Amino acid sequence: NNPVADPGKKQFDQEKNDPPFIAQGMAENPINEDILGAIATNDTLYYYSLDDKALKKATLEGKNKSILMSNLPGEATRVLWSPKKTEALLLLKQATGNIWYYAELSNKTLIPLKPEIGRLAWDNFGEKVLYQHTDPLTKKRSLNIADPDGSNWKKLTDLGTNDFFLSSVPGSSLVSFWPRPSAERSATIETMTISGDGRKSLSSPLYGADYLWSPTGEYALVSGSTEETGKDFSLRLINSTGTTKNLEVPTLLSKTTWSKDGRTVYYALPGGLPENTLLPNDYFEKSLHSKDTFWKIDVPTGKKIRLIELKDATQTFDSSDLFLSPQEDALYFTDRVTKRLYRIEL
């Protein structure tokens, strides 16, 4: 395969346009713990502490920390908080393999799910869980829905043998699913109703395609390339009818987040990657680390604005899991190198 265009070079081209700066200061570390799965609601941060091996919460400034659940039967590698943050789904590393658990935080209940259950996602109300079931013998997969503890399950559709990612479509009764992103495979996103009807493809296929719905469900971000070489790897925008617009932002979906109104995308632009990097595969499989700059783009106009001025960017981050504070006055992200949570005032 030919190399993709160097993200660092694309970043430099974008800087030449000299957009206005809105910097408010440097990134701050509010928690001072190694963390996983951080998210914010109202005035509270929820996260898994890799140091304490416990689910915890704190204020948005990292104060008044308290433990929600501890003494877990393994270290978490993924955390999916319910919309109300009263429940969580945890993928715990154990001697026999990784197992998903359902955690009910108010009564400290922890229920293991079957080992053939994977790729979980909450529905829009936090009442049901979408998951991929893999038959242990045939390795065939299906999309299913169940109560969070795995009971009252229902099969929605067959998925074949490919590994799929899942997501509810906000503001609707639809679920969406797409093959695990790979630069070697051209794929698209599909949707269907939560009752299992109306399965259809939504957009043109892309290599390495990965998707993130806006909070309104009106649009989805997709990162990917029209060519197997990956040379035009970029963020694109699709609407509910599948119409696609290239935002010309060469970044990974894990480095993006939406504003609540679905009009702005905040993102980290990766630099410093080797020139022959093939996205998204090399970034995750070769444990590469980028040197990010932070931006936002106005979706209707395409206008890009830098969040931290170059002269203030003395810190180096490889960011992931971006999210905004509830008032959208701060951008949070986890640094992949240090596993620490950082906050940029907006």
Side-chain angles (χ1 to χ4, degrees), residues 35 43 55 64 66 96 108 110 114 122 135 145 160 174-176 215-216 246 266 301 310 331 341:
I35 64 97
D43 59 350
L55 294 172
N64 301 327
S66 62
T96 56
K108 312 294 185 184
L110 191 66
K114 293 181 178 179
W122 290 96
D135 187 292
I145 189 169
L174 298 175
V175 301
S176 62
T216 63
N246 193 340
Y266 293 80
T301 66
L310 274 178
L331 175 68
L341 182 71

Side-chain angles (χ1 to χ4, degrees), residues 176-213:
S176 62
F177 48 100
W178 60 98
R180 180 181 179 182
S182 171
E184 301 170 352
R185 178 173 54 237
S186 178
T188 186
I189 188 171
E190 295 182 76
T191 62
M192 68 187 312
T193 68
I194 206 163
S195 59
D197 302 318
R199 179 174 176 173
K200 65 177 182 178
S201 297
L202 189 58
S203 63
S204 301
L206 291 170
Y207 289 93
D210 200 5
Y211 299 83
L212 178 65
W213 287 99

Side-chain angles (χ1 to χ4, degrees), residues 215-237:
T216 63
E218 184 179 2
Y219 298 105
L221 276 180
V222 52
S223 58
S225 171
T226 59
E227 301 181 27
E228 192 173 1
T229 60
K231 71 176 184 178
D232 66 342
F233 190 92
S234 179
L235 288 182
R236 290 167 170 83
L237 192 71

Side-chain angles (χ1 to χ4, degrees), residues 246-281:
N246 193 340
L247 297 179
E248 299 181 358
V249 173
T251 193
L252 297 140
L253 205 71
S254 60
K255 296 180 181 288
T256 67
T257 192
W258 284 94
S259 63
K260 283 184 286 190
D261 63 6
R263 293 181 57 87
T264 306
V265 172
Y266 293 80
Y267 63 95
L269 195 63
L273 295 175
E275 190 171 347
N276 62 348
T277 299
L278 183 64
L279 297 175
N281 297 36

Side-chain angles (χ1 to χ4, degrees), residues 49 74 97 102 149 215 251-252 294 345:
S49 170
Y102 164 60
D149 62 2
T251 193
L252 297 140
F294 295 91
E345 298 291 333

Side-chain angles (χ1 to χ4, degrees), residues 44 49 60 79 96 137 172 191 197 302 327:
T44 304
S49 170
L60 295 177
V79 180
T96 56
L137 296 178
S172 76
T191 62
D197 302 318
Q327 292 75 33

Side-chain angles (χ1 to χ4, degrees), residues 321-341:
D321 301 326
L322 279 66
F323 63 93
L324 293 170
S325 63
Q327 292 75 33
E328 302 194 345
D329 57 0
L331 175 68
Y332 291 83
F333 64 90
T334 301
D335 179 40
R336 289 177 74 227
V337 178
T338 63
K339 297 181 174 60
R340 294 296 176 100
L341 182 71

